Amino acid sequence: MHNNIDTIKKIRKAIEFYRELGFVYMPVKKSRIAEILSPLASKPSEMKQHSGAGRTVNGQEALNLLRENIGDCQRCKLSGGRNTIVFGEGSPDAPLMFIGEGPGRDEDLQGRPFIGDAGKLLTKMIVKLGMKREDVYIANIVKCRPSYNRNPEEDEINSCSPFLLQQIEIIRPSVIVCLGKIATETLLGVKTPISKLRGNFLDFNGIPVMPTFHPAYLLRNPKAKWLTWDDMQKVMKRLT
Ligand code: URA
């Protein structure tokens, strides 16, 4: 009897935990219950504090579960043209998170964000700033490639962005950098041109957000690189 009450308490805590992370349903197989409960059973040394409320969660575990929850996503029409879902990558403890628009051809083939030409420029910038790519987190507004690299459409953004919001909630970075118009408009809900917004911090749920140019734009307009470099100096200052 006592054991049953303990189990029910654990299950209730687990459900609250996943609900706070934004999950709306849990397709749980009986055989997986022990595993699902395991974040709550982890030793304190294996946990990381993520939220301002002082809640302790295991970030990598939460990201893995989120990825599992996305599954072989068919929630929008982008699923029809993709090869791979590009979930995002980097450290669950990242102080800095970059958000782009959506995977391009290379990303779609390899399942990793920002690895094509624009990604190489972004990686170079990260390294020049004295960081490693593995130490930051890189994600996109949509996780599947829009064909011919068109902009993602509103219904696609609406289907996919809840997953990004959950990634942000799990990682709780100190600063977010929005790369380009789509990321900035989606996260901040503003339509002001990026050329006017860039260089100043805005706020997303208490996290400072720096909008700046998308690396693909910088490849086409190399003279603007120094503006993004300037924006990144402000970001680095915020991080110290
Ligand atoms: N452009 C983006 O916005 N995201 C990527 O992952 C690659 C290119």
Side-chain angles (χ1 to χ4, degrees), residues 100-104 107 113-114 140 214:
E101 179 178 318
E107 291 79 14
F114 280 101
N140 283 301
H214 192 287

Side-chain angles (χ1 to χ4, degrees), residues 49-60:
Q49 202 158 319
H50 283 283
S51 84
R55 193 177 174 73
T56 53
V57 298
N58 178 332
Q60 189 57 60

Side-chain angles (χ1 to χ4, degrees), residues 86 99-108 112-119 122 133 138-142 149 179 182-183 214-216:
V86 182
I99 301 176
E101 179 178 318
R105 194 177 64 96
D106 296 314
E107 291 79 14
D108 174 58
R112 298 181 54 208
F114 280 101
I115 50 150
D117 289 342
L122 176 65
R133 203 178 136 108
I138 306 175
N140 283 301
I141 295 293
V142 292
N149 292 345
L179 300 167
I182 300 287
H214 192 287

Side-chain angles (χ1 to χ4, degrees), residues 81-133:
R82 69 151 190 258
N83 283 299
T84 330
I85 294 174
V86 182
F87 178 68
E89 68 180 24
S91 167
D93 304 323
L96 179 57
M97 181 165 181
F98 290 92
I99 301 176
E101 179 178 318
R105 194 177 64 96
D106 296 314
E107 291 79 14
D108 174 58
L109 290 172
Q110 292 194 44
R112 298 181 54 208
F114 280 101
I115 50 150
D117 289 342
K120 286 191 181 110
L121 178 59
L122 176 65
T123 306
K124 242 193 211 169
M125 192 172 63
I126 291 168
V127 172
K128 256 193 172 170
L129 288 164
M131 298 178 287
K132 289 193 203 116
R133 203 178 136 108

